[in-house]
Amino acid sequence: MIPGGGQPNMQALLQQAQKMQQDLAAAQQELAETDVEGSAGGGLVKATVSGAGELRALVIDPKAVDPEDTETLADLVVAAVHNANEAAQRLQQAKLGPLAQGLGGGGIPGLPF
């Protein structure tokens, strides 16, 4: 039997929630500070994004630049950014997934996971 007439220890629950919130904030900060890279065209175009998905850098090899075919270059840029964002999403899942599971896997209204 739980002491206090079956009521959960609210202080302990609040402390646990606060710790998870701090862990989540720390993980989000780490994501914002971590860079991941994506590429396309065999490395002719490279995009760097933060773990939070913010585009930070774009490098285009001069061999990818053909003034007569800017459409292919645009496609390579989009593909490189997409590839980098996929890497950022995998990093987010690795960092934030365990924290969300600790909160019941997203069953708490008002929380972004």
Side-chain angles (χ1 to χ4, degrees):
M1 181 156 243
I2 299 175
Q7 295 296 321
N9 183 340
M10 291 305 289
Q11 185 65 28
L13 287 174
L14 289 173
Q15 287 175 347
Q16 183 180 8
Q18 185 177 26
K19 167 116 174 55
M20 289 203 279
Q21 185 178 21
Q22 289 169 347
D23 291 347
L24 179 61
Q28 288 172 325
Q29 181 65 33
E30 186 177 339
L31 283 172
E33 295 172 357
T34 302
D35 286 344
V36 292
E37 188 175 280
S39 65
L44 290 175
V45 177
K46 296 178 184 174
T48 302
V49 299
S50 72
E54 175 187 336
L55 182 63
R56 295 222 172 131
L58 184 64
V59 177
I60 301 172
D61 187 304
K63 291 182 236 165
V65 180
D66 178 357
E68 302 296 318
D69 184 16
T70 57
E71 188 174 308
T72 296
L73 178 57
D75 289 344
L76 290 174
V77 169
V78 169
V81 172
H82 180 74
N83 185 256
N85 278 324
E86 285 178 339
Q89 287 177 351
R90 286 190 300 273
L91 182 61
Q92 289 171 8
Q93 283 296 323
K95 294 286 183 192
L96 301 179
L99 293 172
Q101 288 174 356
L103 292 172
I108 301 174
L111 293 180
F113 36 82

